[in-house]
Amino acid sequence: MDLMMSIGPQSVTMDMVARDCGISKRTLYETFPNKHNLISDVIKYSQELYNDRFIEIFEQASNSFEALMRVYTVARELIQKTSTVFLSDIKRLYPEVFEEYKAQEVNHMLSLANVIHKAKEEGLALPGIKCKIAAFLFNNNMKNINHMQDFPFPEYTATEIFDGAFLNFMRGMATARGQEIIEDYVQKHLSNREN
């Protein structure tokens, strides 16, 4: 997973995977008959891994904004270690795998809409926010990060764009109490960089 995310699936060979995992190529092919199966399983594994991590975050957080900020930190780390060609390689070379990946989008948007709804109940998000619309717009902003080649300002990294998109999204829907949670989190965890 780390190898594919760092250099993109097209650049990964089965030899590289076997060597990186410390196994023989034969053993690798006994588990994954071809690169397509390997990539499909890697993506499924990655989604399960991060979904489990996000569930744990929401179970442990004291409020929805704290949970969203912790998810943001995990997603930020993921973006930092993922090559900009990862998703475009998947889309171009493995369209059926990409469609499986995309199928999860609606579920992610509905989950985010539920969290925003809970934030409204907690008094952290503005009462006039339309939860599903906000989740849809946020999802579209995140998809744009995967098209860095279209971004007209090359001096910014994908991580910086993600920071701007996420923090502006959070600040835009937050009540005064929600703003305090966001700014406190930024000061404690992200103050060593400009946001």
Side-chain angles (χ1 to χ4, degrees), residues 31-51:
T31 307
F32 303 102
N34 55 50
K35 189 173 170 182
H36 179 274
N37 289 30
L38 175 67
I39 289 171
S40 180
D41 284 356
V42 163
I43 289 177
K44 286 176 188 169
Y45 171 77
S46 175
Q47 287 179 327
E48 290 171 10
L49 184 71
Y50 282 99
N51 285 341

Side-chain angles (χ1 to χ4, degrees), residues 152-189:
F153 308 108
E155 67 268 22
Y156 296 103
T157 66
T159 306
E160 290 171 310
I161 296 168
F162 176 69
D163 289 344
F166 185 86
L167 293 173
N168 289 334
F169 169 76
M170 291 293 291
R171 289 172 176 141
M173 71 172 180
T175 61
R177 190 166 147 238
Q179 292 282 352
E180 290 173 11
I181 292 169
I182 295 165
E183 299 314 318
D184 183 56
Y185 192 89
V186 167
Q187 287 300 313
K188 287 181 181 173
H189 302 281

Side-chain angles (χ1 to χ4, degrees), residues 5-193:
M5 292 178 115
S6 66
I7 64 173
Q10 181 176 5
S11 299
V12 172
T13 66
M14 295 299 265
D15 285 326
M16 292 168 81
V17 173
R19 189 173 44 253
D20 199 52
C21 293
I23 59 175
S24 72
K25 196 170 168 183
R26 179 179 176 190
T27 301
L28 180 62
Y29 276 110
E30 287 173 0
T31 307
F32 303 102
N34 55 50
K35 189 173 170 182
H36 179 274
N37 289 30
L38 175 67
I39 289 171
S40 180
D41 284 356
V42 163
I43 289 177
K44 286 176 188 169
Y45 171 77
S46 175
Q47 287 179 327
E48 290 171 10
L49 184 71
Y50 282 99
N51 285 341
D52 290 347
R53 195 164 175 196
F54 294 153
I55 288 168
E56 182 181 327
I57 286 171
F58 277 95
E59 288 174 350
Q60 295 174 353
S62 59
N63 62 62
S64 55
F65 266 30
E66 177 191 329
L68 285 170
M69 295 304 292
R70 289 176 58 198
V71 166
Y72 155 71
T73 302
V74 172
R76 187 175 194 275
E77 291 167 4
L78 181 63
I79 285 171
Q80 287 175 323
K81 68 180 186 179
T82 303
S83 166
T84 57
V85 299
F86 178 76
L87 209 50
S88 62
D89 276 4
I90 298 292
K91 184 177 182 178
R92 185 171 44 84
L93 301 170
Y94 306 96
E96 60 284 345
V97 174
F98 182 74
E99 288 305 315
E100 290 173 26
Y101 173 82
K102 268 185 58 178
Q104 296 299 315
E105 266 186 349
V106 173
N107 292 336
H108 294 148
M109 282 189 283
L110 289 173
S111 295
L112 178 56
N114 289 336
V115 173
I116 295 168
H117 180 74
K118 184 176 179 189
K120 286 170 54 172
E121 291 175 346
E122 295 168 339
L124 302 176
L126 296 168
I129 297 286
K130 304 277 189 232
C131 301
K132 288 180 181 175
I133 293 172
F136 171 78
L137 293 173
F138 178 73
N139 184 64
N140 280 345
N141 279 341
M142 294 301 100
K143 283 197 286 190
N144 287 332
I145 292 173
N146 296 321
H147 304 287
M148 286 294 295
Q149 67 275 11
D150 298 333
F151 191 70
F153 308 108
E155 67 268 22
Y156 296 103
T157 66
T159 306
E160 290 171 310
I161 296 168
F162 176 69
D163 289 344
F166 185 86
L167 293 173
N168 289 334
F169 169 76
M170 291 293 291
R171 289 172 176 141
M173 71 172 180
T175 61
R177 190 166 147 238
Q179 292 282 352
E180 290 173 11
I181 292 169
I182 295 165
E183 299 314 318
D184 183 56
Y185 192 89
V186 167
Q187 287 300 313
K188 287 181 181 173
H189 302 281
L190 309 169
S191 61
N192 61 339
R193 62 178 179 76

